Amino acid sequence: MQIFLARNNVQAGPYDLEQLNIMLASGEVLLDDLMWHEGLDQWQRVGVLTNNQTVYRPTSINSPQVNDSIINNVTVFPEDTNTEEHKSVSLDRLYGKPERPKDTGKDANMTTNRHHTPHHNVSLNKSTLKKTAADNGTVIGDVVLAPIMSRILATALNGLLYVLAILPLVMALTKMDVDYTKFQNIQDMDAAYQYSMTLMESLPSSTLMMSQVMVFGLFALQLIFIAMRGQSLGKLITGIRVVDQTTHRLPSFIKLIGTRTLLLFIIYNLLFSFTSFLGFVIIAIHYYMASKSPENIGWHDKLAKTLVVKADSGQLVKKSKPE
C-alpha cells in the first residue's frame, strides 16, 4: 500500500502504513495534512481518515485502477525527476524546511523517501484544500474557527433581513400618529400591549397580512437552513456554520433548533421587549466572551455546546460510529 502526503500543493511519498503511523506519532505528519492512496477517490485530510487519531487503520486495503481524472496539478520539482528512478519530495521540502542530507545506509530515517515508483501525480480536490484556510483562522481538530467579525456580520445580516420583512408594517406606522410615550412606561406593559393591538387594528388588512407573510416566511426559511445546514441565512452568506463541540459535525436537532434557535429567540425577544438597550448589551457580552475564548465560545455556544466554524461540506456528513 503506497501512501502519498501533500501540503500546499506539494506531494511527498510514497510511504507505507508503518512509516505513516511513525510520522503521525512523532508529529511530523499533522492531522491537517492531506493524504491519498489507491482506494480513495480524492485527497482527504489525515484527521478525517483517522477519526482525529494519530494512527491510521484503513478498513480495507484495495488496489483498484488509479483514476486518471484525478491525476494532475501537484508541484513536482525538476531535480526530483531527473533520474531514472524518480525521487519524490521529502517531508523537509513538504514542510518548507532546508533539506537534510540523505542517508543511504540501513539506519536511514523512516521519513526519508527510500523509493518511488514512477507514478502519476494526484490532484488536490477543492474540498480538501481547507487546510489553506488555517492561515486565516484558528484550527481546532479538523475545523477552522469562524472569525468573530464574520459572526458579527452574520448577526447583522439576519437583523437586516428581519427589518426588511417588517418594512411594510414600519412604513404604514410612520403614516399614523403614534403615541410613543405609551411604550416608555415599562411598569405598565399591559397598557403598552393594548395600545399596540389598537394600532394593529388600525392598519390596512393587506399591509398587516403582507408583513405577517414576510415575517413568518423568513422565520420558516431560517429554521429550514438551520436544521439542514447549521446555518442561518446570515451565516450562509458569510460562509460559517454551527457545529457540535465534540463531533465537529451538525449538532443534534435539539441543540440547533431547541436550544440555539428557539430558546435564544425567546430570550432576546423578551430582552428587546423590555428595552432594546439591554438586548444589544447581552449580544455584545456574547461576542466579547467569544473574542476572549481560545475556541471563540460565547455564552450562546456554552449554552448549546456548539462551535461556530468556517463552513465545509464535510461537516454535513454524519460521523461514522467507531467499530
mmCIF file with all atom_site columns, all heavy atoms in Angstrom, residues 130 144-147 150-151 153-154 157 229-242 308-312 315:
data_model
loop_
_atom_site.group_PDB
_atom_site.id
_atom_site.type_symbol
_atom_site.label_atom_id
_atom_site.label_alt_id
_atom_site.label_comp_id
_atom_site.label_asym_id
_atom_site.label_entity_id
_atom_site.label_seq_id
_atom_site.pdbx_PDB_ins_code
_atom_site.Cartn_x
_atom_site.Cartn_y
_atom_site.Cartn_z
_atom_site.occupancy
_atom_site.B_iso_or_equiv
_atom_site.pdbx_formal_charge
_atom_site.auth_seq_id
_atom_site.auth_comp_id
_atom_site.auth_asym_id
_atom_site.auth_atom_id
_atom_site.pdbx_PDB_model_num
ATOM 1   N N   . LYS A 1 130 ? -9.055  22.802 2.378  1.00 0.00 ? 130 LYS A N   1
ATOM 2   C CA  . LYS A 1 130 ? -9.483  23.616 3.507  1.00 0.00 ? 130 LYS A CA  1
ATOM 3   C C   . LYS A 1 130 ? -8.308  23.975 4.406  1.00 0.00 ? 130 LYS A C   1
ATOM 4   O O   . LYS A 1 130 ? -8.349  24.909 5.175  1.00 0.00 ? 130 LYS A O   1
ATOM 5   C CB  . LYS A 1 130 ? -10.524 22.840 4.311  1.00 0.00 ? 130 LYS A CB  1
ATOM 6   C CG  . LYS A 1 130 ? -11.140 23.648 5.423  1.00 0.00 ? 130 LYS A CG  1
ATOM 7   C CD  . LYS A 1 130 ? -12.421 24.264 4.929  1.00 0.00 ? 130 LYS A CD  1
ATOM 8   C CE  . LYS A 1 130 ? -13.015 25.179 5.969  1.00 0.00 ? 130 LYS A CE  1
ATOM 9   N NZ  . LYS A 1 130 ? -13.218 24.647 7.260  1.00 0.00 ? 130 LYS A NZ  1
ATOM 10  N N   . VAL A 1 144 ? -11.885 24.929 11.149 1.00 0.00 ? 144 VAL A N   1
ATOM 11  C CA  . VAL A 1 144 ? -11.276 26.254 11.319 1.00 0.00 ? 144 VAL A CA  1
ATOM 12  C C   . VAL A 1 144 ? -12.315 27.176 11.939 1.00 0.00 ? 144 VAL A C   1
ATOM 13  O O   . VAL A 1 144 ? -13.419 27.320 11.408 1.00 0.00 ? 144 VAL A O   1
ATOM 14  C CB  . VAL A 1 144 ? -10.803 26.831 9.965  1.00 0.00 ? 144 VAL A CB  1
ATOM 15  C CG1 . VAL A 1 144 ? -10.143 28.193 10.168 1.00 0.00 ? 144 VAL A CG1 1
ATOM 16  C CG2 . VAL A 1 144 ? -9.844  25.871 9.285  1.00 0.00 ? 144 VAL A CG2 1
ATOM 17  N N   . LEU A 1 145 ? -11.994 27.760 13.068 1.00 0.00 ? 145 LEU A N   1
ATOM 18  C CA  . LEU A 1 145 ? -12.945 28.618 13.766 1.00 0.00 ? 145 LEU A CA  1
ATOM 19  C C   . LEU A 1 145 ? -13.307 29.833 12.918 1.00 0.00 ? 145 LEU A C   1
ATOM 20  O O   . LEU A 1 145 ? -12.457 30.421 12.250 1.00 0.00 ? 145 LEU A O   1
ATOM 21  C CB  . LEU A 1 145 ? -12.364 29.080 15.099 1.00 0.00 ? 145 LEU A CB  1
ATOM 22  C CG  . LEU A 1 145 ? -12.088 27.996 16.148 1.00 0.00 ? 145 LEU A CG  1
ATOM 23  C CD1 . LEU A 1 145 ? -11.518 28.613 17.418 1.00 0.00 ? 145 LEU A CD1 1
ATOM 24  C CD2 . LEU A 1 145 ? -13.359 27.216 16.471 1.00 0.00 ? 145 LEU A CD2 1
ATOM 25  N N   . ALA A 1 146 ? -14.567 30.210 12.961 1.00 0.00 ? 146 ALA A N   1
ATOM 26  C CA  . ALA A 1 146 ? -15.029 31.392 12.231 1.00 0.00 ? 146 ALA A CA  1
ATOM 27  C C   . ALA A 1 146 ? -14.511 32.654 12.915 1.00 0.00 ? 146 ALA A C   1
ATOM 28  O O   . ALA A 1 146 ? -14.559 32.759 14.146 1.00 0.00 ? 146 ALA A O   1
ATOM 29  C CB  . ALA A 1 146 ? -16.555 31.416 12.191 1.00 0.00 ? 146 ALA A CB  1
ATOM 30  N N   . PRO A 1 147 ? -14.008 33.626 12.168 1.00 0.00 ? 147 PRO A N   1
ATOM 31  C CA  . PRO A 1 147 ? -13.584 34.893 12.769 1.00 0.00 ? 147 PRO A CA  1
ATOM 32  C C   . PRO A 1 147 ? -14.759 35.591 13.459 1.00 0.00 ? 147 PRO A C   1
ATOM 33  O O   . PRO A 1 147 ? -15.908 35.469 13.013 1.00 0.00 ? 147 PRO A O   1
ATOM 34  C CB  . PRO A 1 147 ? -13.100 35.715 11.562 1.00 0.00 ? 147 PRO A CB  1
ATOM 35  C CG  . PRO A 1 147 ? -12.808 34.702 10.493 1.00 0.00 ? 147 PRO A CG  1
ATOM 36  C CD  . PRO A 1 147 ? -13.780 33.582 10.713 1.00 0.00 ? 147 PRO A CD  1
ATOM 37  N N   . SER A 1 150 ? -16.828 37.781 11.231 1.00 0.00 ? 150 SER A N   1
ATOM 38  C CA  . SER A 1 150 ? -17.767 37.072 10.353 1.00 0.00 ? 150 SER A CA  1
ATOM 39  C C   . SER A 1 150 ? -19.049 36.742 11.102 1.00 0.00 ? 150 SER A C   1
ATOM 40  O O   . SER A 1 150 ? -20.148 36.818 10.543 1.00 0.00 ? 150 SER A O   1
ATOM 41  C CB  . SER A 1 150 ? -17.128 35.785 9.824  1.00 0.00 ? 150 SER A CB  1
ATOM 42  O OG  . SER A 1 150 ? -16.046 36.074 8.973  1.00 0.00 ? 150 SER A OG  1
ATOM 43  N N   . ARG A 1 151 ? -18.909 36.393 12.375 1.00 0.00 ? 151 ARG A N   1
ATOM 44  C CA  . ARG A 1 151 ? -20.085 36.071 13.182 1.00 0.00 ? 151 ARG A CA  1
ATOM 45  C C   . ARG A 1 151 ? -20.930 37.317 13.436 1.00 0.00 ? 151 ARG A C   1
ATOM 46  O O   . ARG A 1 151 ? -22.168 37.277 13.386 1.00 0.00 ? 151 ARG A O   1
ATOM 47  C CB  . ARG A 1 151 ? -19.645 35.436 14.496 1.00 0.00 ? 151 ARG A CB  1
ATOM 48  C CG  . ARG A 1 151 ? -18.935 34.116 14.312 1.00 0.00 ? 151 ARG A CG  1
ATOM 49  C CD  . ARG A 1 151 ? -18.411 33.536 15.610 1.00 0.00 ? 151 ARG A CD  1
ATOM 50  N NE  . ARG A 1 151 ? -19.491 33.261 16.549 1.00 0.00 ? 151 ARG A NE  1
ATOM 51  C CZ  . ARG A 1 151 ? -19.302 32.672 17.723 1.00 0.00 ? 151 ARG A CZ  1
ATOM 52  N NH1 . ARG A 1 151 ? -18.076 32.298 18.094 1.00 0.00 ? 151 ARG A NH1 1
ATOM 53  N NH2 . ARG A 1 151 ? -20.320 32.448 18.531 1.00 0.00 ? 151 ARG A NH2 1
ATOM 54  N N   . LEU A 1 153 ? -21.025 39.963 11.507 1.00 0.00 ? 153 LEU A N   1
ATOM 55  C CA  . LEU A 1 153 ? -21.637 40.314 10.229 1.00 0.00 ? 153 LEU A CA  1
ATOM 56  C C   . LEU A 1 153 ? -22.854 39.435 9.954  1.00 0.00 ? 153 LEU A C   1
ATOM 57  O O   . LEU A 1 153 ? -23.880 39.917 9.461  1.00 0.00 ? 153 LEU A O   1
ATOM 58  C CB  . LEU A 1 153 ? -20.612 40.160 9.104  1.00 0.00 ? 153 LEU A CB  1
ATOM 59  C CG  . LEU A 1 153 ? -21.114 40.449 7.680  1.00 0.00 ? 153 LEU A CG  1
ATOM 60  C CD1 . LEU A 1 153 ? -21.644 41.875 7.582  1.00 0.00 ? 153 LEU A CD1 1
ATOM 61  C CD2 . LEU A 1 153 ? -20.002 40.218 6.660  1.00 0.00 ? 153 LEU A CD2 1
ATOM 62  N N   . ALA A 1 154 ? -22.753 38.131 10.287 1.00 0.00 ? 154 ALA A N   1
ATOM 63  C CA  . ALA A 1 154 ? -23.887 37.223 10.086 1.00 0.00 ? 154 ALA A CA  1
ATOM 64  C C   . ALA A 1 154 ? -25.084 37.663 10.921 1.00 0.00 ? 154 ALA A C   1
ATOM 65  O O   . ALA A 1 154 ? -26.231 37.644 10.453 1.00 0.00 ? 154 ALA A O   1
ATOM 66  C CB  . ALA A 1 154 ? -23.485 35.793 10.439 1.00 0.00 ? 154 ALA A CB  1
ATOM 67  N N   . LEU A 1 157 ? -26.610 40.728 9.352  1.00 0.00 ? 157 LEU A N   1
ATOM 68  C CA  . LEU A 1 157 ? -27.381 40.388 8.148  1.00 0.00 ? 157 LEU A CA  1
ATOM 69  C C   . LEU A 1 157 ? -28.738 39.789 8.505  1.00 0.00 ? 157 LEU A C   1
ATOM 70  O O   . LEU A 1 157 ? -29.749 40.099 7.869  1.00 0.00 ? 157 LEU A O   1
ATOM 71  C CB  . LEU A 1 157 ? -26.586 39.398 7.292  1.00 0.00 ? 157 LEU A CB  1
ATOM 72  C CG  . LEU A 1 157 ? -25.372 39.973 6.555  1.00 0.00 ? 157 LEU A CG  1
ATOM 73  C CD1 . LEU A 1 157 ? -24.566 38.858 5.902  1.00 0.00 ? 157 LEU A CD1 1
ATOM 74  C CD2 . LEU A 1 157 ? -25.804 40.993 5.508  1.00 0.00 ? 157 LEU A CD2 1
ATOM 75  N N   . ARG A 1 229 ? -28.551 22.657 7.517  1.00 0.00 ? 229 ARG A N   1
ATOM 76  C CA  . ARG A 1 229 ? -27.153 23.008 7.249  1.00 0.00 ? 229 ARG A CA  1
ATOM 77  C C   . ARG A 1 229 ? -26.420 23.618 8.439  1.00 0.00 ? 229 ARG A C   1
ATOM 78  O O   . ARG A 1 229 ? -25.226 23.896 8.337  1.00 0.00 ? 229 ARG A O   1
ATOM 79  C CB  . ARG A 1 229 ? -27.082 23.983 6.066  1.00 0.00 ? 229 ARG A CB  1
ATOM 80  C CG  . ARG A 1 229 ? -27.686 23.460 4.775  1.00 0.00 ? 229 ARG A CG  1
ATOM 81  C CD  . ARG A 1 229 ? -27.530 24.471 3.659  1.00 0.00 ? 229 ARG A CD  1
ATOM 82  N NE  . ARG A 1 229 ? -26.139 24.805 3.422  1.00 0.00 ? 229 ARG A NE  1
ATOM 83  C CZ  . ARG A 1 229 ? -25.332 24.111 2.619  1.00 0.00 ? 229 ARG A CZ  1
ATOM 84  N NH1 . ARG A 1 229 ? -25.799 23.046 1.986  1.00 0.00 ? 229 ARG A NH1 1
ATOM 85  N NH2 . ARG A 1 229 ? -24.084 24.478 2.437  1.00 0.00 ? 229 ARG A NH2 1
ATOM 86  N N   . GLY A 1 230 ? -27.129 23.866 9.544  1.00 0.00 ? 230 GLY A N   1
ATOM 87  C CA  . GLY A 1 230 ? -26.472 24.505 10.679 1.00 0.00 ? 230 GLY A CA  1
ATOM 88  C C   . GLY A 1 230 ? -26.142 25.959 10.407 1.00 0.00 ? 230 GLY A C   1
ATOM 89  O O   . GLY A 1 230 ? -25.253 26.532 11.037 1.00 0.00 ? 230 GLY A O   1
ATOM 90  N N   . GLN A 1 231 ? -26.862 26.579 9.479  1.00 0.00 ? 231 GLN A N   1
ATOM 91  C CA  . GLN A 1 231 ? -26.584 27.955 9.080  1.00 0.00 ? 231 GLN A CA  1
ATOM 92  C C   . GLN A 1 231 ? -27.866 28.761 8.998  1.00 0.00 ? 231 GLN A C   1
ATOM 93  O O   . GLN A 1 231 ? -28.820 28.353 8.323  1.00 0.00 ? 231 GLN A O   1
ATOM 94  C CB  . GLN A 1 231 ? -25.909 27.993 7.702  1.00 0.00 ? 231 GLN A CB  1
ATOM 95  C CG  . GLN A 1 231 ? -24.550 27.335 7.634  1.00 0.00 ? 231 GLN A CG  1
ATOM 96  C CD  . GLN A 1 231 ? -24.053 27.235 6.196  1.00 0.00 ? 231 GLN A CD  1
ATOM 97  O OE1 . GLN A 1 231 ? -24.645 26.542 5.377  1.00 0.00 ? 231 GLN A OE1 1
ATOM 98  N NE2 . GLN A 1 231 ? -22.969 27.934 5.894  1.00 0.00 ? 231 GLN A NE2 1
ATOM 99  N N   . SER A 1 232 ? -27.887 29.902 9.670  1.00 0.00 ? 232 SER A N   1
ATOM 100 C CA  . SER A 1 232 ? -28.925 30.883 9.391  1.00 0.00 ? 232 SER A CA  1
ATOM 101 C C   . SER A 1 232 ? -28.592 31.501 8.039  1.00 0.00 ? 232 SER A C   1
ATOM 102 O O   . SER A 1 232 ? -27.524 31.249 7.471  1.00 0.00 ? 232 SER A O   1
ATOM 103 C CB  . SER A 1 232 ? -28.938 31.958 10.480 1.00 0.00 ? 232 SER A CB  1
ATOM 104 O OG  . SER A 1 232 ? -27.708 32.661 10.483 1.00 0.00 ? 232 SER A OG  1
ATOM 105 N N   . LEU A 1 233 ? -29.481 32.312 7.499  1.00 0.00 ? 233 LEU A N   1
ATOM 106 C CA  . LEU A 1 233 ? -29.193 32.954 6.211  1.00 0.00 ? 233 LEU A CA  1
ATOM 107 C C   . LEU A 1 233 ? -27.963 33.848 6.307  1.00 0.00 ? 233 LEU A C   1
ATOM 108 O O   . LEU A 1 233 ? -27.168 33.916 5.370  1.00 0.00 ? 233 LEU A O   1
ATOM 109 C CB  . LEU A 1 233 ? -30.415 33.756 5.742  1.00 0.00 ? 233 LEU A CB  1
ATOM 110 C CG  . LEU A 1 233 ? -31.659 32.931 5.392  1.00 0.00 ? 233 LEU A CG  1
ATOM 111 C CD1 . LEU A 1 233 ? -32.818 33.840 5.033  1.00 0.00 ? 233 LEU A CD1 1
ATOM 112 C CD2 . LEU A 1 233 ? -31.364 31.964 4.250  1.00 0.00 ? 233 LEU A CD2 1
ATOM 113 N N   . GLY A 1 234 ? -27.802 34.520 7.451  1.00 0.00 ? 234 GLY A N   1
ATOM 114 C CA  . GLY A 1 234 ? -26.619 35.359 7.647  1.00 0.00 ? 234 GLY A CA  1
ATOM 115 C C   . GLY A 1 234 ? -25.346 34.536 7.637  1.00 0.00 ? 234 GLY A C   1
ATOM 116 O O   . GLY A 1 234 ? -24.337 34.924 7.038  1.00 0.00 ? 234 GLY A O   1
ATOM 117 N N   . LYS A 1 235 ? -25.362 33.383 8.310  1.00 0.00 ? 235 LYS A N   1
ATOM 118 C CA  . LYS A 1 235 ? -24.180 32.509 8.334  1.00 0.00 ? 235 LYS A CA  1
ATOM 119 C C   . LYS A 1 235 ? -23.931 31.896 6.957  1.00 0.00 ? 235 LYS A C   1
ATOM 120 O O   . LYS A 1 235 ? -22.776 31.682 6.564  1.00 0.00 ? 235 LYS A O   1
ATOM 121 C CB  . LYS A 1 235 ? -24.358 31.407 9.386  1.00 0.00 ? 235 LYS A CB  1
ATOM 122 C CG  . LYS A 1 235 ? -24.200 31.902 10.828 1.00 0.00 ? 235 LYS A CG  1
ATOM 123 C CD  . LYS A 1 235 ? -24.310 30.753 11.805 1.00 0.00 ? 235 LYS A CD  1
ATOM 124 C CE  . LYS A 1 235 ? -23.970 31.205 13.223 1.00 0.00 ? 235 LYS A CE  1
ATOM 125 N NZ  . LYS A 1 235 ? -24.917 32.189 13.751 1.00 0.00 ? 235 LYS A NZ  1
ATOM 126 N N   . LEU A 1 236 ? -25.001 31.593 6.221  1.00 0.00 ? 236 LEU A N   1
ATOM 127 C CA  . LEU A 1 236 ? -24.843 31.054 4.875  1.00 0.00 ? 236 LEU A CA  1
ATOM 128 C C   . LEU A 1 236 ? -24.126 32.053 3.979  1.00 0.00 ? 236 LEU A C   1
ATOM 129 O O   . LEU A 1 236 ? -23.225 31.691 3.209  1.00 0.00 ? 236 LEU A O   1
ATOM 130 C CB  . LEU A 1 236 ? -26.222 30.714 4.302  1.00 0.00 ? 236 LEU A CB  1
ATOM 131 C CG  . LEU A 1 236 ? -26.250 30.103 2.904  1.00 0.00 ? 236 LEU A CG  1
ATOM 132 C CD1 . LEU A 1 236 ? -25.624 28.715 2.903  1.00 0.00 ? 236 LEU A CD1 1
ATOM 133 C CD2 . LEU A 1 236 ? -27.680 30.031 2.374  1.00 0.00 ? 236 LEU A CD2 1
ATOM 134 N N   . ILE A 1 237 ? -24.512 33.322 4.079  1.00 0.00 ? 237 ILE A N   1
ATOM 135 C CA  . ILE A 1 237 ? -23.894 34.365 3.252  1.00 0.00 ? 237 ILE A CA  1
ATOM 136 C C   . ILE A 1 237 ? -22.427 34.562 3.617  1.00 0.00 ? 237 ILE A C   1
ATOM 137 O O   . ILE A 1 237 ? -21.580 34.755 2.747  1.00 0.00 ? 237 ILE A O   1
ATOM 138 C CB  . ILE A 1 237 ? -24.676 35.692 3.397  1.00 0.00 ? 237 ILE A CB  1
ATOM 139 C CG1 . ILE A 1 237 ? -26.089 35.528 2.817  1.00 0.00 ? 237 ILE A CG1 1
ATOM 140 C CG2 . ILE A 1 237 ? -23.949 36.840 2.700  1.00 0.00 ? 237 ILE A CG2 1
ATOM 141 C CD1 . ILE A 1 237 ? -27.012 36.693 3.124  1.00 0.00 ? 237 ILE A CD1 1
ATOM 142 N N   . THR A 1 238 ? -22.109 34.494 4.912  1.00 0.00 ? 238 THR A N   1
ATOM 143 C CA  . THR A 1 238 ? -20.731 34.735 5.364  1.00 0.00 ? 238 THR A CA  1
ATOM 144 C C   . THR A 1 238 ? -19.877 33.472 5.364  1.00 0.00 ? 238 THR A C   1
ATOM 145 O O   . THR A 1 238 ? -18.694 33.529 5.693  1.00 0.00 ? 238 THR A O   1
ATOM 146 C CB  . THR A 1 238 ? -20.724 35.352 6.775  1.00 0.00 ? 238 THR A CB  1
ATOM 147 O OG1 . THR A 1 238 ? -21.489 34.516 7.669  1.00 0.00 ? 238 THR A OG1 1
ATOM 148 C CG2 . THR A 1 238 ? -21.327 36.743 6.756  1.00 0.00 ? 238 THR A CG2 1
ATOM 149 N N   . GLY A 1 239 ? -20.445 32.323 5.017  1.00 0.00 ? 239 GLY A N   1
ATOM 150 C CA  . GLY A 1 239 ? -19.654 31.104 4.891  1.00 0.00 ? 239 GLY A CA  1
ATOM 151 C C   . GLY A 1 239 ? -19.230 30.481 6.201  1.00 0.00 ? 239 GLY A C   1
ATOM 152 O O   . GLY A 1 239 ? -18.128 29.912 6.288  1.00 0.00 ? 239 GLY A O   1
ATOM 153 N N   . ILE A 1 240 ? -20.073 30.569 7.235  1.00 0.00 ? 240 ILE A N   1
ATOM 154 C CA  . ILE A 1 240 ? -19.751 29.962 8.519  1.00 0.00 ? 240 ILE A CA  1
ATOM 155 C C   . ILE A 1 240 ? -20.900 29.049 8.936  1.00 0.00 ? 240 ILE A C   1
ATOM 156 O O   . ILE A 1 240 ? -21.980 29.107 8.376  1.00 0.00 ? 240 ILE A O   1
ATOM 157 C CB  . ILE A 1 240 ? -19.457 31.020 9.604  1.00 0.00 ? 240 ILE A CB  1
ATOM 158 C CG1 . ILE A 1 240 ? -20.688 31.914 9.830  1.00 0.00 ? 240 ILE A CG1 1
ATOM 159 C CG2 . ILE A 1 240 ? -18.265 31.875 9.203  1.00 0.00 ? 240 ILE A CG2 1
ATOM 160 C CD1 . ILE A 1 240 ? -20.479 32.979 10.910 1.00 0.00 ? 240 ILE A CD1 1
ATOM 161 N N   . ARG A 1 241 ? -20.649 28.202 9.948  1.00 0.00 ? 241 ARG A N   1
ATOM 162 C CA  . ARG A 1 241 ? -21.650 27.197 10.326 1.00 0.00 ? 241 ARG A CA  1
ATOM 163 C C   . ARG A 1 241 ? -21.504 26.851 11.802 1.00 0.00 ? 241 ARG A C   1
ATOM 164 O O   . ARG A 1 241 ? -20.433 26.952 12.386 1.00 0.00 ? 241 ARG A O   1
ATOM 165 C CB  . ARG A 1 241 ? -21.459 25.943 9.471  1.00 0.00 ? 241 ARG A CB  1
ATOM 166 C CG  . ARG A 1 241 ? -22.282 24.754 9.897  1.00 0.00 ? 241 ARG A CG  1
ATOM 167 C CD  . ARG A 1 241 ? -22.076 23.550 9.007  1.00 0.00 ? 241 ARG A CD  1
ATOM 168 N NE  . ARG A 1 241 ? -22.719 23.751 7.720  1.00 0.00 ? 241 ARG A NE  1
ATOM 169 C CZ  . ARG A 1 241 ? -22.089 23.670 6.550  1.00 0.00 ? 241 ARG A CZ  1
ATOM 170 N NH1 . ARG A 1 241 ? -20.810 23.393 6.520  1.00 0.00 ? 241 ARG A NH1 1
ATOM 171 N NH2 . ARG A 1 241 ? -22.748 23.870 5.426  1.00 0.00 ? 241 ARG A NH2 1
ATOM 172 N N   . VAL A 1 242 ? -22.619 26.416 12.406 1.00 0.00 ? 242 VAL A N   1
ATOM 173 C CA  . VAL A 1 242 ? -22.633 25.920 13.769 1.00 0.00 ? 242 VAL A CA  1
ATOM 174 C C   . VAL A 1 242 ? -22.387 24.409 13.738 1.00 0.00 ? 242 VAL A C   1
ATOM 175 O O   . VAL A 1 242 ? -23.035 23.695 12.979 1.00 0.00 ? 242 VAL A O   1
ATOM 176 C CB  . VAL A 1 242 ? -23.978 26.216 14.463 1.00 0.00 ? 242 VAL A CB  1
ATOM 177 C CG1 . VAL A 1 242 ? -24.018 25.588 15.859 1.00 0.00 ? 242 VAL A CG1 1
ATOM 178 C CG2 . VAL A 1 242 ? -24.212 27.724 14.565 1.00 0.00 ? 242 VAL A CG2 1
ATOM 179 N N   . VAL A 1 308 ? -18.790 27.776 16.296 1.00 0.00 ? 308 VAL A N   1
ATOM 180 C CA  . VAL A 1 308 ? -19.086 28.391 15.003 1.00 0.00 ? 308 VAL A CA  1
ATOM 181 C C   . VAL A 1 308 ? -17.796 28.363 14.200 1.00 0.00 ? 308 VAL A C   1
ATOM 182 O O   . VAL A 1 308 ? -16.765 28.892 14.635 1.00 0.00 ? 308 VAL A O   1
ATOM 183 C CB  . VAL A 1 308 ? -19.608 29.833 15.162 1.00 0.00 ? 308 VAL A CB  1
ATOM 184 C CG1 . VAL A 1 308 ? -19.921 30.430 13.790 1.00 0.00 ? 308 VAL A CG1 1
ATOM 185 C CG2 . VAL A 1 308 ? -20.856 29.857 16.036 1.00 0.00 ? 308 VAL A CG2 1
ATOM 186 N N   . VAL A 1 309 ? -17.829 27.703 13.041 1.00 0.00 ? 309 VAL A N   1
ATOM 187 C CA  . VAL A 1 309 ? -16.626 27.449 12.259 1.00 0.00 ? 309 VAL A CA  1
ATOM 188 C C   . VAL A 1 309 ? -16.839 27.859 10.815 1.00 0.00 ? 309 VAL A C   1
ATOM 189 O O   . VAL A 1 309 ? -17.960 28.147 10.386 1.00 0.00 ? 309 VAL A O   1
ATOM 190 C CB  . VAL A 1 309 ? -16.250 25.951 12.319 1.00 0.00 ? 309 VAL A CB  1
ATOM 191 C CG1 . VAL A 1 309 ? -16.030 25.505 13.755 1.00 0.00 ? 309 VAL A CG1 1
ATOM 192 C CG2 . VAL A 1 309 ? -17.340 25.091 11.667 1.00 0.00 ? 309 VAL A CG2 1
ATOM 193 N N   . LYS A 1 310 ? -15.751 27.885 10.056 1.00 0.00 ? 310 LYS A N   1
ATOM 194 C CA  . LYS A 1 310 ? -15.866 28.103 8.623  1.00 0.00 ? 310 LYS A CA  1
ATOM 195 C C   . LYS A 1 310 ? -16.540 26.889 7.997  1.00 0.00 ? 310 LYS A C   1
ATOM 196 O O   . LYS A 1 310 ? -16.180 25.753 8.284  1.00 0.00 ? 310 LYS A O   1
ATOM 197 C CB  . LYS A 1 310 ? -14.487 28.337 8.005  1.00 0.00 ? 310 LYS A CB  1
ATOM 198 C CG  . LYS A 1 310 ? -13.866 29.668 8.429  1.00 0.00 ? 310 LYS A CG  1
ATOM 199 C CD  . LYS A 1 310 ? -12.593 29.955 7.668  1.00 0.00 ? 310 LYS A CD  1
ATOM 200 C CE  . LYS A 1 310 ? -12.040 31.329 8.033  1.00 0.00 ? 310 LYS A CE  1
ATOM 201 N NZ  . LYS A 1 310 ? -10.799 31.632 7.288  1.00 0.00 ? 310 LYS A NZ  1
ATOM 202 N N   . ALA A 1 311 ? -17.509 27.138 7.152  1.00 0.00 ? 311 ALA A N   1
ATOM 203 C CA  . ALA A 1 311 ? -18.334 26.057 6.598  1.00 0.00 ? 311 ALA A CA  1
ATOM 204 C C   . ALA A 1 311 ? -17.528 25.166 5.670  1.00 0.00 ? 311 ALA A C   1
ATOM 205 O O   . ALA A 1 311 ? -16.730 25.643 4.858  1.00 0.00 ? 311 ALA A O   1
ATOM 206 C CB  . ALA A 1 311 ? -19.538 26.641 5.871  1.00 0.00 ? 311 ALA A CB  1
ATOM 207 N N   . ASP A 1 312 ? -17.731 23.859 5.811  1.00 0.00 ? 312 ASP A N   1
ATOM 208 C CA  . ASP A 1 312 ? -17.106 22.845 4.972  1.00 0.00 ? 312 ASP A CA  1
ATOM 209 C C   . ASP A 1 312 ? -18.143 21.755 4.743  1.00 0.00 ? 312 ASP A C   1
ATOM 210 O O   . ASP A 1 312 ? -18.842 21.353 5.676  1.00 0.00 ? 312 ASP A O   1
ATOM 211 C CB  . ASP A 1 312 ? -15.869 22.274 5.675  1.00 0.00 ? 312 ASP A CB  1
ATOM 212 C CG  . ASP A 1 312 ? -15.085 21.312 4.792  1.00 0.00 ? 312 ASP A CG  1
ATOM 213 O OD1 . ASP A 1 312 ? -15.703 20.561 4.026  1.00 0.00 ? 312 ASP A OD1 1
ATOM 214 O OD2 . ASP A 1 312 ? -13.845 21.313 4.887  1.00 0.00 ? 312 ASP A OD2 1
ATOM 215 N N   . GLN A 1 315 ? -18.627 18.760 7.089  1.00 0.00 ? 315 GLN A N   1
ATOM 216 C CA  . GLN A 1 315 ? -19.331 18.883 8.373  1.00 0.00 ? 315 GLN A CA  1
ATOM 217 C C   . GLN A 1 315 ? -20.773 18.415 8.274  1.00 0.00 ? 315 GLN A C   1
ATOM 218 O O   . GLN A 1 315 ? -21.418 18.161 9.295  1.00 0.00 ? 315 GLN A O   1
ATOM 219 C CB  . GLN A 1 315 ? -19.284 20.347 8.834  1.00 0.00 ? 315 GLN A CB  1
ATOM 220 C CG  . GLN A 1 315 ? -17.893 20.847 9.121  1.00 0.00 ? 315 GLN A CG  1
ATOM 221 C CD  . GLN A 1 315 ? -17.732 22.335 8.881  1.00 0.00 ? 315 GLN A CD  1
ATOM 222 O OE1 . GLN A 1 315 ? -18.690 23.036 8.528  1.00 0.00 ? 315 GLN A OE1 1
ATOM 223 N NE2 . GLN A 1 315 ? -16.522 22.851 9.042  1.00 0.00 ? 315 GLN A NE2 1
#
